[in-house]
Amino acid sequence: MARETGRRGGGRAGAAARRGKATLQQMPWSIPVNIDRPIEPLSAEGVAAVHDGAMRILEEIGITFLNPEALQILKKAGCRVEGDLVRMDRDFVMEMVAKAPSSFTITPRNPDRALPVGGNHILFGNVSSPPNYWDVDLGKKVAGTREQCRNLLKLTQYFNCIHFAGGYPVEPVDIHASVRHLDVLYDKLTLCDKVMHAYSLGKERVEDVMEMVRIAGGLSEAEFEATPRMYTNINSTSPLKHDYPMIDGCLRLVRRGQAVVVTPFTLAGAMAPVTMAGAVAQSLAEALCAIALFQYVRPGTPCAIGTFTSNVDMKSGAPAFGTPEYMRATQMTGQMARFYGLPMRSSGVCAANVPDGQAMWETSNSLWAAVQSGTNMVYHAAGWLEGGLIASPEKFIMDCEVLQQIQRYMQPEICATGPDEIALDAIREVGNEGHFFGLQHTQDRYSTAFYQPFLSDWRNYEAWEAAGAVWTPERANKIYKDILAEFEAPPMEAAVHDELKDFVARRKSEGGAPTDF
């Protein structure tokens, strides 16, 4: 990869200059602010009931921690520990959770891409962790490769509506698991300048990623630990269990001041009660106990609570996403996150196997549920298929069209009510006859009045047919290829790049992370 010298990151102007105008005109980089009131399906009594349910799970039933260090810490904190089962009093849990900040900022190697997490901000991330890949040209599901992963990372960097780079956008199974994290993080840090993620899957992977993020940012140890520079997301092993490596990884990150998102994966009817209130209560219990642990270890550590509560297909047992139940569970969890004073993470997900109508209505349902719930971080916002088993570049492009529409929807000028917006003079000028097309009021605003899509085709059927009758996934495929053709990586100082390459080479020579194969 060619190296560039100069200021790291490039900034907004540099990014715009690199992207040019060849492929599409996208909205500029911005941090969306959710100006809507959240939907709150729970009454005050409902909030109290869900909270009491979560606390009784922690007090009476308990959570299994398969991490000896966590057990020692929680025992020292006064929790009741019997073997690997931990019960916590609600007063302890609430005292610890109260120490977590209600908002925090994560600053990547390009400070212009710093992300405020919490408040009314809503941030979108790329698809993360599918083992398989699908695109229009292949027309079938295949195991992920490094090249496919790199291409999806290029989309992650290219689109301004994608704010953070989550886990691997597709798992590159052509790289041995012992060194996969080194190659993918090298690719992420050189192809992207946005906020990075580390998988909490063993000591070596977490420590390596923290060091690579520190190197790429040109940071001293003290600078790295002074403020969040990256984050991890962990899932509990539902029902009511936390495994060894994820808690271990979080403890390592917490002790160095980095951010942690705790996201139980509770499927109602399978890994949680079939009722959504029961599934949400269980999810909250699984998340809050881990956040309490992390706050006890380092009070004030930045934490967010995640939700991945949905339902299964009761006919097959397969996960379902974007359902009415999923939407309500997300809204309910958002209401509870505000009750606890924690930022929240949800997801843009679907169960569809290809980027078709089902894929888009399920994803749109889940994305709008994120908006309605007051979510702060939206995982898997672009590119997700088959319940997280497939990543697709066409789906990525299609989702970004929806994300831009959501960002436009949030812009306060749409619902502004000043004299220019009420437009009485324009209405008076047109009166009872004529039209508004040629009016000066319209001419002054025609280029910015409405959202302009880069993927949607608004022509009538005859014009669409005459232009080749190209369906949406095929149009998305062309845009994807055009983006790859014009993509330029963000700049990185030559010395920093050399240090990063040397670190990767050294860790590979040492064997990377241990595996059992």
Side-chain angles (χ1 to χ4, degrees):
M1 179 178 295
R3 292 173 298 181
E4 299 182 49
T5 58
R7 192 172 81 80
R8 288 186 299 278
R12 300 181 192 179
R18 290 194 300 278
R19 292 183 182 123
K21 300 180 179 180
T23 296
L24 58 90
Q25 288 295 299
Q26 60 173 315
M27 295 173 67
W29 168 271
S30 66
I31 305 298
V33 175
N34 191 338
I35 63 174
D36 287 359
R37 294 186 182 94
I39 290 179
E40 298 192 332
L42 299 174
S43 65
E45 292 77 14
V47 170
V50 172
H51 169 65
D52 183 64
M55 295 299 105
R56 290 187 65 185
I57 291 169
L58 295 176
E59 290 175 329
E60 300 172 17
I61 301 171
I63 307 289
T64 296
F65 280 82
L66 300 177
N67 184 294
E69 183 184 11
L71 293 171
Q72 292 176 1
I73 294 169
L74 292 170
K75 187 173 184 178
K76 180 181 177 182
C79 299
R80 289 162 288 160
V81 179
E82 299 174 8
D84 55 17
L85 183 69
V86 179
R87 294 182 178 91
M88 301 180 179
D89 293 334
R90 66 183 66 199
D91 290 343
F92 168 77
V93 175
M94 295 302 288
E95 179 187 354
M96 293 300 106
V97 169
K99 298 178 184 295
S102 60
S103 63
F104 53 88
T105 299
I106 308 178
T107 305
R109 73 177 181 92
N110 179 358
D112 289 343
R113 305 290 197 189
L115 299 182
V117 180
N120 293 327
H121 299 108
I122 181 168
L123 309 167
F124 301 111
N126 60 348
V127 60
S128 301
S129 306
N132 303 301
Y133 174 92
W134 184 98
D135 68 27
V136 164
D137 299 311
L138 287 169
K140 64 179 180 179
K141 179 170 78 172
V142 298
T145 67
R146 185 178 185 181
E147 180 183 7
Q148 293 160 354
C149 184
R150 284 172 55 86
N151 289 340
L152 290 167
L153 287 170
K154 292 175 182 178
L155 296 184
T156 299
Q157 174 67 13
Y158 183 91
F159 277 101
N160 292 326
C161 60
I162 301 297
H163 301 98
F164 59 92
Y168 310 160
V170 68
E171 193 83 19
V173 297
D174 57 339
I175 307 174
H176 194 270
S178 62
V179 296
R180 188 178 300 162
H181 66 290
L182 296 167
D183 284 338
V184 177
L185 260 294
Y186 172 83
D187 290 343
K188 288 176 74 171
L189 288 165
T190 52
L191 294 174
C192 301
D193 61 3
K194 299 179 180 180
V195 164
M196 294 287 146
H197 159 276
Y199 287 112
S200 286
L201 296 173
K203 169 187 174 182
E204 291 78 10
R205 291 180 180 88
V206 169
E207 297 288 352
D208 285 346
V209 172
M210 283 195 287
E211 184 62 8
M212 291 175 72
V213 170
R214 185 194 69 76
I215 291 169
L219 304 168
S220 66
E221 294 285 347
E223 289 171 330
F224 177 80
E225 296 182 9
T227 186
R229 303 286 183 175
M230 55 177 290
Y231 74 100
T232 191
N233 175 86
I234 66 164
N235 305 112
S236 49
T237 307
S238 302
L240 306 180
K241 191 182 284 89
H242 283 285
D243 69 12
Y244 176 86
M246 289 193 176
I247 293 295
D248 177 80
C250 286
L251 290 173
R252 294 176 186 279
L253 285 156
V254 162
R255 286 176 171 130
R256 297 190 66 187
Q258 303 309 303
V260 171
V261 182
V262 185
T263 309
F265 187 7
T266 47
L267 289 176
M271 297 127 66
V274 72
T275 54
M276 301 317 294
V280 169
Q282 178 185 310
S283 174
L284 292 170
E286 293 177 6
L288 292 172
C289 66
I291 293 172
L293 167 67
F294 304 144
Q295 295 303 319
Y296 183 81
V297 171
R298 182 166 174 160
T301 197
C303 289
I305 192 167
T307 176
F308 217 79
T309 298
S310 191
N311 57 287
V312 295
D313 176 4
M314 297 304 285
K315 296 177 182 178
S316 67
F321 297 104
T323 62
E325 293 81 9
Y326 174 93
M327 295 179 74
R328 282 304 193 193
T330 303
Q331 295 163 3
M332 292 162 67
T333 306
Q335 193 171 355
M336 297 307 299
R338 288 185 292 280
F339 174 80
Y340 297 118
L342 294 169
M344 188 173 104
R345 171 239 143 149
S346 65
S347 300
V349 287
C350 68
N353 298 309
V354 293
D356 58 6
Q358 176 188 339
M360 296 316 295
W361 76 59
E362 289 177 349
T363 301
S364 291
N365 282 350
S366 61
L367 289 173
W368 281 105
V371 172
Q372 295 163 352
S373 67
T375 287
N376 302 113
M377 296 181 73
V378 184
Y379 248 61
H380 313 300
W384 164 295
L385 287 172
E386 202 198 359
L389 296 178
I390 296 175
S392 162
E394 290 85 8
K395 178 66 163 39
F396 199 113
I397 301 292
M398 294 162 71
D399 288 337
C400 284
E401 179 80 280
V402 178
L403 296 179
Q404 284 209 154
Q405 293 187 28
I406 291 173
Q407 288 196 214
R408 171 59 177 164
Y409 169 87
M410 291 299 176
Q411 292 178 345
E413 56 263 32
I414 295 180
C415 47
T417 56
D420 285 345
E421 287 76 32
I422 301 298
L424 284 178
D425 290 341
I427 296 169
R428 184 178 291 110
E429 185 175 346
V430 172
N432 304 102
E433 299 180 1
H435 57 74
F436 289 80
F437 281 118
L439 214 63
Q440 190 62 46
H441 183 273
T442 303
Q443 294 298 307
D444 290 344
R445 296 163 177 79
Y446 80 95
S447 64
T448 58
F450 309 126
Y451 175 78
Q452 292 298 311
F454 63 81
L455 180 61
S456 298
D457 189 333
W458 288 351
R459 294 173 290 188
N460 63 24
Y461 183 90
E462 289 75 17
W464 170 78
E465 186 176 41
V470 182
W471 286 50
T472 304
E474 296 169 311
R475 295 197 302 273
N477 176 265
K478 181 181 185 303
I479 290 174
Y480 162 60
K481 292 175 180 176
D482 289 345
I483 289 173
L484 294 187
E486 74 171 48
F487 181 83
E488 293 184 29
M492 177 180 283
E493 290 181 3
V496 171
H497 191 229
D498 287 342
E499 186 178 359
L500 190 64
K501 286 197 303 181
D502 291 345
F503 177 83
V504 170
R506 177 175 64 80
R507 288 293 296 121
K508 281 186 173 183
S509 70
E510 294 170 352
T515 67
D516 57 2
F517 60 96

